[in-house]
Amino acid sequence: MLETYIPIGIMIFFGVTFGVVMSKASEWFGPKNPTETKLSTYESGMEPVRSAHERVSVKYYMVAMLFIIFDIEVVFLYPWAVNFRQLGTFGLVEMVIFIAILMLGYLYLWKKGALRWD
Amino acid sequence: MEILISLIKIVIVLFVLLTSVAYIVLLERRVAAAIQNRIGPNRVGWQGLLQPLADVVKLVMKEDIVPRQANKFIHDLAPIISIGVALATFAVIPFGNRIALFGHDIKLQIADVNIGILYILALTSLGVYGVTLSGWSSNSKYSLLGGMRSSAQMISYELAMGLSLIGVIMIAGSLRLDTIVEAQVAWRWNILLQPIGFITFVVSSFAETNRLPFDLPEAEPELVGGYHTEYSGLKFGLFFLAEYANMVTASAIITTVYLGGWQVPFVHSLGLSDVSVSIIQVLGFCFKVGMLIMFFIIIRWTLPRFRYDQLMNIGWKVMLPLAIANLLATGLVILLKWV
């Protein structure tokens, strides 16, 4: 069973090795004459002001939380979808109830403005 | 022996994938030039066919600049994640049926795992890390904004992507990609059975691969270069390669799931030998993938970019409900035994 994953392991190994070799290549072959200006962060030709690691809009965190909530439902739907033909009408009714509850939450989020981006 | 065969398959697939990626870059530049009424790169070799080689040599000879304020380790790691994930996704795509060569019955798929679709979704999720980490580690405002934007965009469209695949799984009753392809024999392609799922999946693929009209992470007029502003030399080249490799993989997934994979209609009625049928099927697969890549390229050069709030609105308020409606409709249709 597990031996079907060996080729995947080799593939990932090849992919990562390719990445490492290529990203080292320009360190090996490229010229090296760093200057103070060259090493500063790009900011449209201005002197960089402060660091970029400051607070970012809360909207991004909101999207991340919503993603986690909905993605768990999606993962839950996969085993159901595989066995759908065996579950028959009972399976569909169950899933309609489940999705109806989910959609109630979704409508609440929509009305609350959690999906609005401005 | 098994390991040796898979090793040969991996080397061939990686070689074909990387070569085709290099030439898709050239194709894109030539098509863009044709659309904009220019000539495009045609100097290096006949019709510019050696241009990809020249580009690589140029990128290798460039200085590798890491900004002083950047986090060196993560800055180095991000392009490796991007390219590694982009190449490894191809491992589960069946690019042909079985072929009998030199006394071996070879399956034309690198890893025949029973969770093919889950593997694809897992790896596309990992792709988010490459972009986000590169944006964060550069410590540049443009990069950070690009990284944040792309992570929000990719996870939003991943929901629609996952949900639209569920309709196909319900029809095939399996997560194996080869079973899904075999279920689409003759003209029973999933694009005909799942037209809405196909549309939501293709739109989400555009957003997942950060291609126009969804290329907000690197929107040049606002963000300079987006998440790869602070990258130079081959590290920048790796992001570039990863973007095109993702495009090839996305086309291959769309082909496998919705366009019948390696199935070529009427090929069995021609009375050819088994080996030639297999070869025709592989070529048919490549043809479908090529057409989709052409579609990706033409879309990029003919449509303008979305605004970010429009993008999020489409993702959350159109794609998500549409995919869920499609899922329930598919269930009803299967129960009524129409499929």
Side-chain angles (χ1 to χ4, degrees), chain B:
Chain B
M1 202 60 220
E2 280 294 307
I3 293 284
L4 191 66
I5 291 176
S6 10
L7 213 59
I8 294 171
K9 279 192 285 191
I10 290 172
V11 170
I12 292 176
V13 166
L14 280 182
F15 178 75
V16 171
L17 191 59
L18 287 171
T19 320
S20 58
V21 162
Y23 278 95
I24 289 164
V25 178
L26 178 67
L27 176 73
E28 167 137 47
R29 290 170 71 182
R30 291 305 297 259
V31 171
I35 289 176
Q36 298 172 339
N37 212 357
R38 296 183 279 120
I39 295 171
N42 68 345
R43 293 287 149 161
V44 194
W46 182 74
Q47 288 293 317
L49 276 181
L50 294 177
Q51 185 70 38
L53 221 63
D55 287 343
V56 170
V57 171
K58 180 190 161 193
L59 282 174
V60 171
M61 305 312 270
K62 290 290 169 189
E63 183 175 354
D64 178 44
I65 304 167
V66 181
R68 208 179 330 92
Q69 293 197 330
N71 184 323
K72 178 90 170 68
F73 176 68
I74 298 180
H75 192 267
D76 285 356
L77 183 70
I80 298 171
I81 296 179
S82 274
I83 191 75
V85 165
L87 294 181
T89 317
F90 219 85
V92 292
I93 309 272
F95 46 91
N97 201 354
R98 301 180 161 279
I99 187 169
L101 276 183
F102 313 116
H104 292 284
D105 183 33
I106 302 170
K107 198 168 169 65
L108 293 179
Q109 182 185 17
I110 289 173
D112 178 25
V113 291
N114 53 4
I115 51 154
I117 285 189
L118 288 183
Y119 175 81
I120 286 175
L121 286 175
L123 279 203
T124 40
S125 310
L126 279 181
V128 181
Y129 282 99
V131 175
T132 313
L133 287 180
S134 68
W136 181 84
S137 65
S138 304
N139 205 349
S140 153
K141 278 129 201 160
Y142 296 113
S143 304
L144 185 73
L145 277 175
M148 294 299 282
R149 274 187 180 186
S150 91
S151 52
Q153 165 185 337
M154 283 162 100
I155 60 180
S156 301
Y157 279 80
E158 215 167 280
L159 290 177
M161 198 172 185
L163 281 169
S164 36
L165 281 175
I166 288 177
V168 174
I169 300 170
M170 285 159 80
I171 292 172
S174 172
L175 294 169
R176 300 180 83 96
L177 287 167
D178 51 344
T179 316
I180 290 174
V181 174
E182 275 154 21
Q184 305 179 58
V185 71
W187 281 105
R188 279 175 52 92
W189 290 4
N190 280 330
I191 183 176
L192 303 174
L193 304 177
Q194 287 278 310
I196 296 173
F198 175 73
I199 292 169
T200 47
F201 189 81
V202 170
V203 172
S204 320
S205 311
F206 273 85
E208 284 285 312
T209 48
N210 293 331
R211 292 283 299 187
L212 235 122
F214 300 108
D215 72 335
L216 275 296
E218 41 183 321
E220 301 92 351
E222 316 155 31
L223 292 181
V224 193
Y227 59 92
H228 52 55
T229 305
E230 298 292 350
Y231 283 86
S232 61
L234 265 182
K235 281 188 201 158
F236 164 75
L238 282 181
F239 279 120
F240 205 70
L241 273 184
E243 187 191 321
Y244 283 85
N246 276 330
M247 193 166 96
V248 177
T249 316
S251 305
I253 296 167
I254 296 172
T255 306
T256 308
V257 176
Y258 288 103
L259 298 180
W262 40 260
Q263 304 270 15
V264 179
F266 313 122
V267 72
H268 286 289
S269 55
L270 292 176
L272 296 165
S273 68
D274 284 352
V275 175
S276 23
V277 166
S278 296
I279 292 172
I280 289 175
Q281 284 171 335
V282 174
L283 291 179
F285 176 80
C286 296
F287 176 74
K288 291 175 192 171
V289 172
M291 285 293 114
L292 276 169
I293 288 169
M294 204 62 197
F295 177 65
F296 266 84
I297 292 175
I298 290 176
I299 288 282
R300 170 165 179 190
W301 294 98
T302 46
L303 286 187
R305 184 180 290 131
F306 278 110
R307 241 175 28 226
Y308 199 69
D309 58 323
Q310 294 172 329
L311 171 102
M312 291 313 249
N313 266 344
I314 296 171
W316 285 97
K317 296 184 181 169
V318 180
M319 288 297 152
L320 191 64
L322 208 59
I324 289 178
N326 175 55
L327 159 79
L328 293 177
T330 311
L332 205 61
V333 168
I334 291 179
L335 279 187
L336 294 173
K337 304 230 185 298
W338 288 345
V339 180

Side-chain angles (χ1 to χ4, degrees), chain A residues 8 22 26-27 31 33 36 38-39 41-44 49 51-53 67 77-78 85 103 106 110 117, chain B residues 61 63-64 66-68 111 121 136 139-142 144 155 162 166 169 171 230 234 308-309 316 324:
Chain A
I8 288 187
M22 293 294 258
S26 39
E27 273 180 40
N33 35 11
E36 189 65 14
K38 200 188 276 177
L39 288 182
T41 316
Y42 178 76
E43 210 159 303
S44 307
V49 184
S51 152
H53 293 169
F67 167 72
L77 285 172
Y78 274 92
R85 281 179 201 268
M103 281 297 103
Y106 175 74
W110 191 327
W117 193 288
Chain B
M61 305 312 270
E63 183 175 354
D64 178 44
V66 181
R68 208 179 330 92
L121 286 175
W136 181 84
N139 205 349
S140 153
K141 278 129 201 160
Y142 296 113
L144 185 73
I155 60 180
I166 288 177
I169 300 170
I171 292 172
E230 298 292 350
L234 265 182
Y308 199 69
D309 58 323
W316 285 97
I324 289 178

Side-chain angles (χ1 to χ4, degrees), chain A residues 32-78:
Chain A
K32 276 177 209 64
N33 35 11
T35 61
E36 189 65 14
T37 328
K38 200 188 276 177
L39 288 182
S40 69
T41 316
Y42 178 76
E43 210 159 303
S44 307
M46 315 289 278
E47 291 279 324
V49 184
R50 298 204 301 270
S51 152
H53 293 169
E54 291 188 2
R55 292 199 281 180
V56 285
S57 169
V58 72
K59 296 221 175 283
Y60 292 106
Y61 300 96
M62 193 78 116
V63 170
M65 279 194 296
L66 294 182
F67 167 72
I68 290 172
I69 296 170
F70 282 97
D71 209 37
I72 291 171
E73 323 302 343
V74 175
V75 171
F76 178 62
L77 285 172
Y78 274 92

